[in-house]
Coordinates of all heavy atoms in Angstrom, one line a residue:
M732 N -31.4 -83.1 149.0 CA -31.1 -81.9 148.1 C -29.6 -81.6 148.1 O -29.1 -81.5 147.1 CB -32.0 -80.7 148.6 CG -32.0 -79.5 147.7 SD -33.0 -78.2 148.4 CE -32.4 -76.9 147.4
F733 N -29.0 -81.3 149.3 CA -27.7 -81.2 149.4 C -27.0 -82.4 149.7 O -27.2 -83.1 150.6 CB -27.4 -80.1 150.5 CG -27.8 -78.7 150.1 CD1 -28.9 -78.3 150.8 CD2 -27.2 -78.0 149.1 CE1 -29.4 -77.0 150.5 CE2 -27.6 -76.7 148.7 CZ -28.8 -76.2 149.4
S734 N -26.0 -82.8 148.9 CA -25.0 -83.8 149.2 C -23.7 -83.3 149.5 O -23.3 -82.2 149.4 CB -25.0 -84.7 148.0 OG -24.4 -84.1 146.9
I735 N -22.9 -84.2 150.2 CA -21.5 -83.8 150.5 C -20.7 -83.6 149.2 O -20.6 -84.5 148.3 CB -20.8 -85.0 151.3 CG1 -21.7 -85.2 152.6 CG2 -19.4 -84.6 151.7 CD1 -21.3 -86.4 153.4
P736 N -20.2 -82.4 149.1 CA -19.4 -82.1 147.8 C -18.2 -82.8 147.8 O -17.6 -83.3 148.8 CB -19.2 -80.6 147.9 CG -19.3 -80.2 149.4 CD -20.2 -81.3 150.1
S737 N -17.7 -83.1 146.5 CA -16.5 -83.9 146.5 C -15.3 -83.0 146.7 O -15.4 -81.8 146.8 CB -16.4 -84.4 145.0 OG -16.3 -83.3 144.0
V738 N -14.1 -83.7 147.0 CA -13.0 -82.9 147.4 C -12.5 -81.9 146.3 O -12.2 -80.8 146.5 CB -11.8 -84.0 147.6 CG1 -10.4 -83.2 147.9 CG2 -12.1 -84.8 148.6
S739 N -12.6 -82.4 145.1 CA -12.2 -81.5 143.9 C -13.1 -80.2 143.9 O -12.5 -79.0 143.6 CB -12.3 -82.2 142.5 OG -13.7 -82.5 142.3
K740 N -14.4 -80.3 144.2 CA -15.2 -79.1 144.2 C -15.0 -78.2 145.4 O -14.8 -77.0 145.3 CB -16.7 -79.5 144.4 CG -17.4 -80.0 143.0 CD -18.8 -80.4 143.3 CE -19.3 -81.0 142.0 NZ -20.8 -81.5 142.1
I741 N -14.5 -78.8 146.6 CA -14.0 -77.9 147.7 C -12.7 -77.1 147.3 O -12.7 -76.0 147.6 CB -13.9 -78.9 148.9 CG1 -15.3 -79.4 149.4 CG2 -13.2 -78.2 150.1 CD1 -15.2 -80.5 150.5
L742 N -11.9 -77.9 146.7 CA -10.5 -77.3 146.3 C -10.9 -76.1 145.3 O -10.3 -75.1 145.5 CB -9.6 -78.3 145.7 CG -9.1 -79.3 146.7 CD1 -8.2 -80.3 145.9 CD2 -8.1 -78.5 147.7
V743 N -11.7 -76.3 144.5 CA -12.1 -75.2 143.5 C -12.7 -74.1 144.1 O -12.3 -72.9 144.0 CB -12.9 -75.8 142.3 CG1 -13.6 -74.6 141.6 CG2 -12.4 -76.7 141.5
V744 N -13.5 -74.2 145.2 CA -14.3 -73.2 145.9 C -13.2 -72.4 146.8 O -13.0 -71.2 146.7 CB -15.4 -73.6 146.7 CG1 -15.8 -72.7 147.7 CG2 -16.4 -74.2 145.8
V745 N -12.2 -73.2 147.3 CA -11.2 -72.5 148.1 C -10.3 -71.7 147.3 O -9.8 -70.6 147.6 CB -10.5 -73.7 149.0 CG1 -9.1 -73.1 149.5 CG2 -11.3 -74.3 150.0
G746 N -9.9 -72.3 146.0 CA -9.1 -71.6 145.2 C -9.8 -70.4 144.6 O -9.1 -69.4 144.6
I747 N -11.1 -70.3 144.3 CA -11.7 -69.1 144.0 C -11.7 -68.1 145.1 O -11.4 -66.9 145.0 CB -13.2 -69.4 143.4 CG1 -13.2 -70.2 142.1 CG2 -14.0 -68.1 143.4 CD1 -14.5 -70.8 141.8
V748 N -12.0 -68.5 146.4 CA -11.9 -67.6 147.5 C -10.5 -67.0 147.6 O -10.5 -65.8 148.0 CB -12.4 -68.4 148.7 CG1 -12.2 -67.6 150.0 CG2 -13.8 -68.7 148.6
L749 N -9.5 -67.8 147.6 CA -8.2 -67.4 147.7 C -7.8 -66.3 146.5 O -7.3 -65.3 146.8 CB -7.2 -68.5 147.7 CG -7.1 -69.3 148.9 CD1 -6.0 -70.6 148.8 CD2 -6.8 -68.5 150.2
I750 N -8.2 -66.6 145.3 CA -7.9 -65.6 144.3 C -8.6 -64.3 144.6 O -8.2 -63.2 144.4 CB -8.5 -66.3 143.0 CG1 -7.5 -67.3 142.5 CG2 -8.5 -65.2 141.9 CD1 -8.1 -68.3 141.3
V751 N -10.0 -64.3 144.9 CA -10.7 -63.2 145.4 C -10.0 -62.4 146.4 O -9.7 -61.2 146.3 CB -12.1 -63.4 145.6 CG1 -12.8 -62.2 146.2 CG2 -12.8 -63.9 144.4
L752 N -9.7 -63.2 147.5 CA -9.0 -62.5 148.6 C -7.6 -61.8 148.2 O -7.4 -60.7 148.6 CB -8.6 -63.5 149.7 CG -8.4 -63.1 151.2 CD1 -9.8 -62.7 151.7 CD2 -7.9 -64.3 151.9
Y753 N -6.7 -62.5 147.5 CA -5.5 -61.9 147.1 C -5.7 -60.7 146.0 O -4.9 -59.8 146.0 CB -4.6 -63.0 146.7 CG -3.8 -63.7 147.7 CD1 -4.4 -65.0 148.1 CD2 -2.9 -63.1 148.5 CE1 -3.7 -65.8 149.2 CE2 -2.3 -63.7 149.6 CZ -2.7 -65.0 149.9 OH -2.2 -65.6 151.0
G754 N -6.8 -60.9 145.2 CA -7.1 -59.9 144.3 C -7.4 -58.5 145.0 O -7.0 -57.4 144.8
F755 N -8.3 -58.7 146.1 CA -8.6 -57.5 146.8 C -7.4 -56.8 147.4 O -7.3 -55.6 147.7 CB -9.7 -57.8 147.7 CG -11.1 -57.6 147.2 CD1 -11.8 -58.8 146.9 CD2 -11.6 -56.3 146.9 CE1 -13.1 -58.6 146.4 CE2 -12.9 -56.1 146.3 CZ -13.7 -57.4 146.0
K756 N -6.5 -57.9 148.0 CA -5.3 -57.3 148.7 C -4.5 -56.6 147.7 O -3.9 -55.5 148.1 CB -4.5 -58.5 149.3 CG -4.8 -58.8 150.7 CD -3.9 -59.9 151.2 CE -4.0 -60.2 152.7 NZ -3.1 -61.2 153.0
A757 N -4.3 -57.0 146.5 CA -3.6 -56.4 145.6 C -4.1 -55.2 145.1 O -3.4 -54.1 145.0 CB -3.2 -57.4 144.3
I758 N -5.4 -55.1 144.9 CA -6.0 -53.8 144.6 C -5.9 -52.8 145.7 O -5.5 -51.6 145.5 CB -7.5 -54.0 144.4 CG1 -7.7 -54.8 143.1 CG2 -8.3 -52.7 144.3 CD1 -9.1 -55.3 142.9
G759 N -5.9 -53.2 147.1 CA -5.7 -52.2 148.1 C -4.2 -51.7 148.3 O -4.1 -50.6 148.4
R760 N -3.3 -52.7 147.9 CA -1.8 -52.2 148.0 C -1.6 -51.2 146.8 O -1.0 -50.2 146.9 CB -1.1 -53.5 147.8 CG 0.6 -53.1 147.8 CD 1.3 -54.4 147.9 NE 0.9 -55.5 146.9 CZ 1.2 -55.6 145.6 NH1 1.9 -54.6 145.2 NH2 0.6 -56.4 144.7
I761 N -2.1 -51.6 145.5 CA -1.9 -50.6 144.4 C -2.5 -49.2 144.8 O -1.9 -48.1 144.4 CB -2.5 -51.2 143.2 CG1 -1.8 -52.4 142.7 CG2 -2.6 -50.1 142.0 CD1 -2.4 -53.2 141.6
D762 N -3.7 -49.3 145.3 CA -4.4 -48.1 145.7 C -3.6 -47.2 146.8 O -3.4 -45.9 146.5 CB -5.8 -48.3 146.2 CG -6.8 -47.0 146.4 OD1 -6.8 -46.3 145.5 OD2 -7.3 -46.8 147.5
R763 N -3.0 -47.8 147.7 CA -2.2 -47.2 148.8 C -1.0 -46.7 148.0 O -0.6 -45.5 148.3 CB -1.9 -48.3 149.8 CG -2.6 -48.0 151.1 CD -2.2 -48.9 152.2 NE -2.7 -50.3 152.1 CZ -1.8 -51.4 151.9 NH1 -0.5 -51.1 151.9 NH2 -2.4 -52.5 151.7
E764 N -0.3 -47.4 147.2 CA 0.8 -46.9 146.5 C 0.5 -45.6 145.7 O 1.3 -44.7 145.6 CB 1.6 -48.0 145.6 CG 2.2 -49.0 146.5 CD 2.7 -50.1 145.7 OE1 2.4 -50.1 144.4 OE2 3.3 -51.0 146.2
R765 N -0.6 -45.7 145.0 CA -1.0 -44.5 144.1 C -1.3 -43.3 144.9 O -0.9 -42.2 144.6 CB -2.2 -45.0 143.3 CG -2.7 -44.1 142.3 CD -4.0 -44.4 141.6 NE -5.1 -44.6 142.5 CZ -5.8 -43.8 143.1 NH1 -5.5 -42.5 142.7 NH2 -6.8 -44.0 143.9
K766 N -2.0 -43.5 146.1 CA -2.2 -42.4 147.0 C -1.0 -41.7 147.5 O -0.8 -40.6 147.6 CB -3.3 -42.8 148.2 CG -4.6 -42.9 147.7 CD -5.6 -43.3 148.9 CE -7.1 -43.5 148.3 NZ -7.8 -44.1 149.4
A767 N -0.1 -42.6 147.9 CA 1.2 -42.2 148.5 C 1.9 -41.3 147.3 O 2.5 -40.3 147.7 CB 2.1 -43.4 148.9
A768 N 1.9 -41.9 146.1 CA 2.6 -41.2 145.1 C 2.0 -39.7 144.8 O 2.6 -38.8 144.6 CB 2.5 -42.0 143.8
A769 N 0.7 -39.8 144.9 CA -0.1 -38.5 144.8 C 0.2 -37.6 145.8 O 0.4 -36.3 145.6 CB -1.7 -38.8 144.7
K770 N 0.4 -38.0 147.1 CA 0.7 -37.2 148.2 C 2.0 -36.6 148.0 O 2.2 -35.4 148.3 CB 0.4 -38.1 149.5 CG 0.3 -37.2 150.7 CD -0.1 -38.1 151.9 CE -0.3 -37.3 153.1 NZ -0.6 -38.0 154.3
A771 N 2.8 -37.5 147.7 CA 4.3 -36.9 147.4 C 4.5 -36.0 146.3 O 5.2 -35.1 146.4 CB 5.2 -38.3 147.2
G772 N 3.5 -36.3 145.4 CA 3.6 -35.2 144.2 C 3.0 -33.9 144.4 O 3.3 -32.8 143.9
S773 N 2.1 -34.0 145.6 CA 1.4 -32.7 145.8 C 2.1 -31.7 146.9 O 1.6 -30.9 147.5 CB -0.1 -33.0 146.4 OG 0.1 -33.7 147.6
K774 N 3.4 -32.2 147.3 CA 4.1 -31.5 148.2 C 4.6 -30.1 147.7 O 5.1 -29.3 148.4 CB 5.4 -32.2 148.7 CG 4.9 -33.4 149.7 CD 6.1 -34.1 150.3 CE 5.5 -35.0 151.3 NZ 6.8 -35.8 151.9
R775 N 4.4 -29.9 146.3 CA 4.7 -28.6 145.9 C 3.8 -27.6 146.4 O 2.8 -27.9 147.0 CB 4.4 -28.6 144.3 CG 5.5 -28.9 143.4 CD 5.2 -28.5 142.0 NE 3.8 -29.0 141.5 CZ 3.7 -30.2 141.0 NH1 4.6 -31.0 140.9 NH2 2.4 -30.6 140.6
K776 N 4.2 -26.2 146.3 CA 3.3 -25.2 146.8 C 2.0 -25.2 146.0 O 2.0 -25.4 144.9 CB 4.0 -23.9 146.6 CG 5.2 -23.7 147.7 CD 5.7 -22.3 147.4 CE 6.9 -22.0 148.3 NZ 7.5 -20.7 148.0
P777 N 0.9 -25.3 146.6 CA -0.4 -25.5 146.0 C -0.6 -24.3 144.9 O -1.4 -24.5 144.0 CB -1.4 -25.6 147.1 CG -0.7 -25.0 148.3 CD 0.7 -25.2 148.2
D778 N -0.2 -23.1 145.3 CA -0.4 -22.0 144.4 C 0.3 -21.8 143.2 O 0.3 -21.0 142.3 CB -0.3 -20.6 145.2 CG 1.2 -20.5 145.8 OD1 1.8 -21.4 146.1 OD2 1.5 -19.3 145.9
Q779 N 1.5 -22.9 143.2 CA 2.4 -22.8 142.1 C 1.9 -23.9 141.1 O 1.9 -25.3 141.5 CB 3.8 -23.0 142.7 CG 4.7 -22.1 141.9 CD 6.1 -22.2 142.6 OE1 6.5 -23.2 143.3 NE2 7.1 -21.3 142.3
P780 N 1.7 -23.7 140.0 CA 1.5 -24.9 139.0 C 2.6 -25.6 138.7 O 3.7 -25.3 139.1 CB 1.0 -24.1 137.7 CG 1.4 -22.7 137.9 CD 1.5 -22.4 139.3
A781 N 2.4 -26.8 138.0 CA 3.5 -27.7 137.8 C 4.5 -27.2 137.0 O 5.8 -27.3 137.2 CB 2.9 -28.9 137.1
T782 N 4.2 -26.4 136.0 CA 5.2 -25.6 135.1 C 5.0 -24.2 135.5 O 3.8 -23.7 135.1 CB 5.1 -26.0 133.7 OG1 3.7 -25.8 133.3 CG2 5.5 -27.5 133.5
H783 N 5.8 -23.6 135.8 CA 5.7 -22.1 136.1 C 5.6 -21.4 134.8 O 6.3 -21.7 133.8 CB 6.9 -21.5 136.9 CG 6.6 -20.1 137.6 ND1 6.9 -19.0 137.0 CD2 6.1 -20.1 138.7 CE1 6.5 -18.1 137.8 NE2 6.1 -18.7 138.9
P784 N 4.5 -20.4 134.7 CA 4.4 -19.7 133.3 C 5.6 -19.1 132.7 O 5.7 -19.0 131.6 CB 3.3 -18.7 133.6 CG 2.8 -19.0 135.0 CD 3.7 -19.9 135.7
K785 N 6.6 -18.6 133.7 CA 7.7 -17.9 133.1 C 8.7 -18.8 132.5 O 9.5 -18.5 131.8 CB 8.3 -17.1 134.3 CG 7.7 -15.7 134.6 CD 8.3 -15.1 135.7 CE 7.5 -13.7 136.2 NZ 8.0 -13.0 137.3
E786 N 8.7 -20.1 133.1 CA 9.5 -21.1 132.6 C 9.0 -21.6 131.3 O 9.9 -22.3 130.6 CB 9.7 -22.4 133.7 CG 10.3 -21.9 134.9 CD 10.3 -22.9 136.0 OE1 9.6 -24.0 135.6 OE2 10.6 -22.7 137.1
R787 N 8.0 -21.4 130.9 CA 7.4 -21.9 129.6 C 8.2 -21.2 128.5 O 8.3 -20.1 128.4 CB 5.9 -21.7 129.5 CG 5.1 -23.0 129.4 CD 3.8 -22.7 129.0 NE 3.0 -22.5 130.2 CZ 1.8 -21.8 130.4 NH1 1.3 -21.3 129.4 NH2 1.2 -21.7 131.4
P788 N 8.5 -21.9 127.5 CA 9.2 -21.3 126.3 C 8.3 -20.4 125.6 O 7.1 -20.6 125.4 CB 9.7 -22.4 125.4 CG 8.8 -23.5 125.8 CD 8.5 -23.4 127.2
T789 N 8.9 -19.2 125.2 CA 8.0 -18.2 124.6 C 8.2 -18.3 123.1 O 9.3 -18.5 122.7 CB 8.2 -16.8 125.2 OG1 9.6 -16.5 125.1 CG2 7.8 -16.7 126.6
V790 N 7.3 -17.9 122.3 CA 7.5 -17.8 120.9 C 8.2 -16.5 120.5 O 7.8 -15.5 121.1 CB 6.2 -17.9 120.1 CG1 6.5 -17.8 118.6 CG2 5.6 -19.2 120.4
E791 N 9.3 -16.5 119.8 CA 10.0 -15.3 119.5 C 10.3 -15.2 118.0 O 10.6 -16.3 117.3 CB 11.4 -15.4 120.3 CG 11.9 -14.0 120.6 CD 13.0 -14.1 121.6 OE1 13.2 -15.2 122.2 OE2 13.8 -13.1 121.7
D792 N 10.1 -14.1 117.4 CA 10.4 -14.0 116.0 C 12.0 -13.8 115.8 O 12.7 -13.3 116.5 CB 9.8 -12.6 115.4 CG 8.4 -12.8 115.3 OD1 7.9 -13.8 115.2 OD2 7.6 -11.7 115.5
L793 N 12.4 -14.6 114.7 CA 13.7 -14.7 114.4 C 14.0 -13.8 113.2 O 13.3 -13.8 112.3 CB 14.2 -16.1 114.1 CG 14.1 -17.1 115.2 CD1 14.6 -18.5 114.8 CD2 14.9 -16.7 116.4
T794 N 15.1 -13.1 113.1 CA 15.5 -12.4 111.9 C 16.9 -12.8 111.6 O 17.8 -13.2 112.3 CB 15.7 -10.8 112.3 OG1 16.4 -10.6 113.6 CG2 14.2 -10.2 112.7
E795 N 17.1 -12.8 110.2 CA 18.3 -13.2 109.7 C 19.4 -12.1 109.8 O 19.2 -11.0 109.5 CB 18.3 -13.6 108.1 CG 19.5 -14.3 107.6 CD 19.3 -14.6 106.2 OE1 18.2 -14.3 105.5 OE2 20.3 -15.2 105.5
C796 N 20.6 -12.5 110.3 CA 21.7 -11.5 110.4 C 22.3 -11.3 109.1 O 22.5 -12.1 108.3 CB 22.7 -12.2 111.4 SG 24.3 -11.1 111.5
D797 N 22.4 -9.9 108.7 CA 22.9 -9.6 107.4 C 24.4 -9.9 107.3 O 25.0 -10.3 106.3 CB 22.8 -8.2 107.2 CG 21.4 -7.7 107.1 OD1 20.6 -8.5 106.6 OD2 21.2 -6.5 107.6
N798 N 25.2 -10.0 108.4 CA 26.6 -10.4 108.5 C 26.8 -12.0 108.4 O 27.6 -12.4 107.4 CB 27.3 -9.8 109.7 CG 28.8 -9.8 109.7 OD1 29.3 -9.7 108.5 ND2 29.4 -9.9 110.8
C799 N 26.3 -12.7 109.2 CA 26.6 -14.2 109.2 C 25.4 -15.0 108.7 O 25.5 -16.2 108.6 CB 27.0 -14.5 110.5 SG 25.8 -14.5 111.9
H800 N 24.3 -14.5 108.4 CA 23.1 -15.2 107.9 C 22.6 -16.1 109.0 O 21.9 -17.1 108.5 CB 23.3 -15.8 106.5 CG 23.8 -14.8 105.5 ND1 23.0 -13.9 104.9 CD2 25.1 -14.5 105.0 CE1 23.7 -13.3 104.0 NE2 25.0 -13.5 104.2
A801 N 22.8 -16.0 110.2 CA 22.4 -16.8 111.1 C 20.9 -16.3 111.6 O 20.8 -15.0 111.6 CB 23.3 -16.8 112.3
F802 N 20.0 -17.0 112.0 CA 18.7 -16.6 112.3 C 18.8 -16.5 113.8 O 19.0 -17.5 114.5 CB 17.5 -17.6 111.9 CG 17.3 -17.4 110.5 CD1 17.9 -18.2 109.4 CD2 16.1 -16.6 110.1 CE1 17.5 -18.0 108.2 CE2 15.9 -16.3 108.7 CZ 16.6 -17.0 107.9
V803 N 18.7 -15.2 114.3 CA 18.6 -15.1 115.7 C 17.4 -14.2 116.2 O 16.7 -13.6 115.4 CB 20.1 -14.2 116.1 CG1 21.2 -15.0 115.8 CG2 20.0 -12.9 115.2
P804 N 17.2 -14.4 117.5 CA 16.1 -13.5 118.1 C 16.2 -12.0 117.6 O 17.3 -11.5 117.7 CB 16.1 -13.7 119.5 CG 16.9 -15.0 119.6 CD 17.8 -15.1 118.6
A805 N 15.0 -11.4 117.4 CA 15.0 -10.0 117.0 C 15.6 -9.1 118.2 O 14.8 -8.8 119.1 CB 13.7 -9.5 116.5
A806 N 16.9 -9.0 118.2 CA 17.5 -8.2 119.3 C 18.2 -7.1 118.7 O 18.2 -6.8 117.4 CB 18.4 -9.1 120.2
K807 N 19.1 -6.3 119.5 CA 19.7 -5.2 118.9 C 20.9 -5.6 118.3 O 21.5 -5.0 117.2 CB 20.0 -4.2 120.0 CG 18.9 -3.3 120.3 CD 19.2 -2.3 121.4 CE 17.9 -1.6 121.8 NZ 18.2 -0.6 122.8
T808 N 21.6 -6.7 118.7 CA 22.8 -7.3 118.2 C 22.7 -8.7 117.9 O 21.9 -9.4 118.6 CB 24.0 -7.1 119.1 OG1 23.7 -7.7 120.4 CG2 24.3 -5.6 119.3
C809 N 23.5 -9.2 117.0 CA 23.4 -10.6 116.6 C 24.1 -11.3 117.7 O 25.2 -11.1 118.2 CB 24.2 -10.9 115.2 SG 24.2 -12.6 114.8
G810 N 23.5 -12.6 118.2 CA 24.1 -13.4 119.2 C 25.2 -14.2 118.7 O 26.0 -14.8 119.4
Q811 N 25.3 -14.5 117.3 CA 26.3 -15.2 116.7 C 27.7 -14.5 116.6 O 28.7 -14.9 116.9 CB 25.8 -15.8 115.4 CG 24.7 -16.8 115.5 CD 25.0 -18.1 116.3 OE1 26.1 -18.6 116.0 NE2 24.3 -18.5 117.3
C812 N 27.6 -13.3 115.9 CA 28.7 -12.6 115.4 C 28.8 -11.2 116.0 O 29.8 -10.6 116.0 CB 28.8 -12.4 113.9 SG 27.5 -11.4 113.3
G813 N 27.9 -10.7 116.8 CA 27.8 -9.6 117.6 C 27.6 -8.4 116.6 O 27.7 -7.2 117.1
A814 N 27.3 -8.5 115.3 CA 27.0 -7.5 114.4 C 25.6 -6.8 114.8 O 24.7 -7.5 115.2 CB 26.9 -7.9 113.0
R815 N 25.3 -5.6 114.6 CA 24.1 -4.9 114.8 C 23.1 -5.3 113.7 O 23.3 -5.4 112.5 CB 24.2 -3.4 114.8 CG 25.0 -2.8 116.0 CD 25.1 -1.3 116.0 NE 23.8 -0.6 116.1 CZ 23.2 -0.5 117.4 NH1 23.7 -0.7 118.4 NH2 21.9 0.0 117.4
L816 N 21.8 -5.6 114.2 CA 20.9 -6.0 113.1 C 20.1 -4.9 112.7 O 20.0 -3.9 113.2 CB 19.8 -7.0 114.0 CG 20.4 -8.3 114.4 CD1 19.3 -9.1 115.0 CD2 20.9 -9.1 113.1
Ligands
LIG1378 ZN1 25.4 -12.3 112.8

């Protein structure tokens, strides 16, 4: 039933075993690097989100300055020419 396998078959089996072995090694290395990167990324204060809400840009209405016709945030004075809006 079982005969002695030829050298080429043994080489193929050894090659497949080596491929699987190095494949698992590579997967383990990638997983370790990913976990290390995740650990390094989570060194921030846990109660602070990635982007602080105050740092987020807010939507602001712009009004046209009567003096220089620049569109500036609706403030008391124009940021471009200093004229009162
Ligand atoms: Zn102006």
Side-chain angles (χ1 to χ4, degrees):
M732 186 176 168
F733 290 108
S734 61
I735 299 172
S737 62
V738 175
S739 62
K740 284 181 181 174
I741 292 172
L742 285 177
V743 167
V744 169
V745 168
I747 290 170
V748 167
L749 285 177
I750 287 169
V751 169
L752 199 73
Y753 281 101
F755 275 108
K756 267 189 174 181
I758 289 170
R760 184 170 44 81
I761 290 167
D762 190 50
R763 253 183 284 121
E764 287 173 358
R765 190 182 55 77
K766 281 179 181 172
K770 202 173 183 181
S773 67
K774 282 185 176 176
R775 270 195 308 271
K776 287 181 182 176
D778 59 330
Q779 224 172 16
T782 55
H783 202 264
K785 285 179 182 175
E786 292 171 3
R787 241 186 276 159
T789 55
V790 178
E791 210 169 344
D792 286 333
L793 298 179
T794 54
E795 186 179 7
C796 176
D797 294 330
N798 193 29
C799 65
H800 302 285
F802 283 90
V803 293
K807 288 183 178 178
T808 56
C809 172
Q811 295 289 318
C812 66
R815 288 185 65 87
L816 294 177

